[in-house]
């Protein structure tokens, strides 16, 4: 049996005055707030923002690379200029300390050969020229032995001394005359016979003894006697005596 409901009677929470329970629709907002707006259809995720920082970083790196290249060129130019300046600064110093080459000493004048009246030695003989006669055209008084010069005869008077301790043979053929042009002339023994037949060809000289010998040379008329080259033997080195 149903009893009519008294509207003035208080109702339990959650029931309507008509005896039916009230089910709340969703979550009810607190007092004084409205229900939140629900999107229409499927919910959409917020749009993703494009990342700009990679482009910014790339631009910065590119600027740094270009600046580095330009700066490197300036550094190289600066280094080159510094090296050139350093070289220029060092050059005078290097020149200042450069060793001075020693001045070559002037060559010593050649010693002249001993002259007339001075003794020279070769081997076991000592030679002293005592006189020179030039321009002689004929030698000898005997018409059968007389000798005419092809050019001119030069008569060189020499004192030959044996300076050794044994006898030594002297030969006029070992003696030579050199003119001012450097030409060499042999002794003319056949012409010398007309002057001194005993010593013209040669002979032995004992130790400590001397012989006065005239050595004859036939040379051109325009030739000028310069040097007498005397020898102990045909194999000796020889010695020179100036005739001027």
């Amino acid at each position: 049996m149903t009893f009519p409901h008294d509207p003035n009677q208080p109702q339990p929470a959650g029931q309507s005055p008509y005896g039916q329970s009230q089910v709340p629709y969703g979550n009810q907002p607190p007092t004084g707030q409205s229900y939140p707006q629900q999107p229409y259809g499927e919910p959409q995720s917020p749009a993703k923002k494009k990342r700009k920082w990679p482009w910014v970083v790339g631009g910065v790196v590119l600027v740094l690379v270009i600046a580095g290249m330009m700066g490197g060129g300036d550094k190289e130019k600066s280094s080159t200029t510094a090296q050139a300046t350093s070289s220029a600064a060092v050059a005078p110093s290097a020149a200042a300390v450069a060793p001075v080459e020693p001045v070559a000493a002037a060559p010593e004048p050649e010693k002249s050969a001993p002259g007339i009246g001075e003794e020279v030695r070769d081997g076991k003989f000592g030679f002293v020229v005592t006189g020179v006669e030039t321009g002689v055209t004929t030698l000898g008084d005997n018409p059968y032995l007389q000798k005419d010069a092809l050019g001119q005869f030069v008569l060189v008077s020499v004192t030959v001394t044996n300076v050794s301790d044994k006898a030594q043979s002297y030969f006029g053929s070992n003696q030579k005359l050199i003119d001012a042009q450097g030409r060499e002339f042999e002794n003319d023994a056949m012409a010398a016979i007309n002057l001194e037949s005993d010593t013209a060809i040669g002979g032995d000289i004992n130790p400590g003894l001397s012989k006065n010998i005239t050595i004859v040379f036939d040379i051109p008329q325009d030739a000028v006697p310069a040097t007498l080259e005397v020898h102990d033997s045909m194999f000796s080195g020889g010695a020179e005596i100036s005739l001027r």
Side-chain angles (χ1 to χ4, degrees):
M1 183 171 186
T2 304
F3 294 95
H5 179 68
D6 186 359
N8 293 322
Q9 185 179 359
Q11 299 297 324
Q15 286 188 353
S16 67
Y18 299 98
Q20 296 180 353
S21 299
Q22 295 181 357
V23 178
Y25 177 80
N27 293 327
Q28 296 182 3
T31 304
Q33 293 186 5
S34 61
Y35 288 98
Q37 296 290 332
Q38 297 294 329
Y40 178 79
E42 294 293 330
Q44 297 181 0
S45 60
K48 294 183 179 180
K49 296 183 179 180
K50 294 183 178 180
R51 298 181 179 180
K52 296 182 179 181
W53 64 267
W55 294 96
V56 175
V57 173
V60 172
V61 172
L62 179 60
V63 171
L64 292 177
V65 171
I66 295 174
M69 293 174 62
M70 296 179 64
D74 293 341
K75 185 180 293 185
E76 291 179 359
K77 291 180 180 179
S78 177
S79 176
T80 303
T81 304
Q83 291 178 359
T85 305
S86 177
S87 300
V90 172
S93 177
V97 298
V100 179
E101 295 183 1
V103 178
E108 295 182 2
E110 295 182 2
K111 294 181 179 180
S112 58
I116 297 173
E118 299 180 78
E119 183 186 55
V120 299
R121 293 188 177 186
D122 182 66
K124 297 178 180 179
F125 286 140
F127 300 86
V128 178
V129 174
T130 59
V132 179
E133 183 179 355
T134 61
V136 179
T137 58
T138 303
L139 287 175
D141 297 332
N142 188 329
Y144 299 102
L145 298 176
Q146 192 177 46
K147 182 79 181 287
D148 294 331
L150 297 176
Q152 64 168 324
F153 287 125
V154 175
L155 313 179
V156 182
S157 299
V158 182
T159 298
V160 182
T161 303
N162 185 341
V163 294
S164 72
D165 57 359
K166 294 181 181 179
Q168 178 71 13
S169 297
Y170 164 84
F171 293 97
S173 60
N174 294 331
Q175 320 314 317
K176 297 176 174 55
L177 179 74
I178 301 171
D179 73 353
Q181 300 181 41
R183 297 176 294 184
E184 186 176 281
F185 302 92
E186 299 291 337
N187 166 245
D188 190 338
M190 295 304 296
I193 291 175
N194 288 284
L195 294 175
E196 300 171 355
S197 60
D198 294 339
T199 59
I201 296 177
D204 291 340
I205 303 176
N206 286 319
L209 298 181
S210 300
K211 281 189 178 182
N212 293 322
I213 301 171
T214 300
I215 309 172
V216 180
F217 300 94
D218 192 351
I219 67 174
Q221 291 184 354
D222 61 349
V224 177
T227 303
L228 177 67
E229 186 176 290
V230 294
H231 291 265
D232 165 86
S233 68
M234 65 182 302
F235 302 108
S236 68
E240 292 185 348
I241 301 174
S242 176
L243 302 178
R244 295 188 290 181

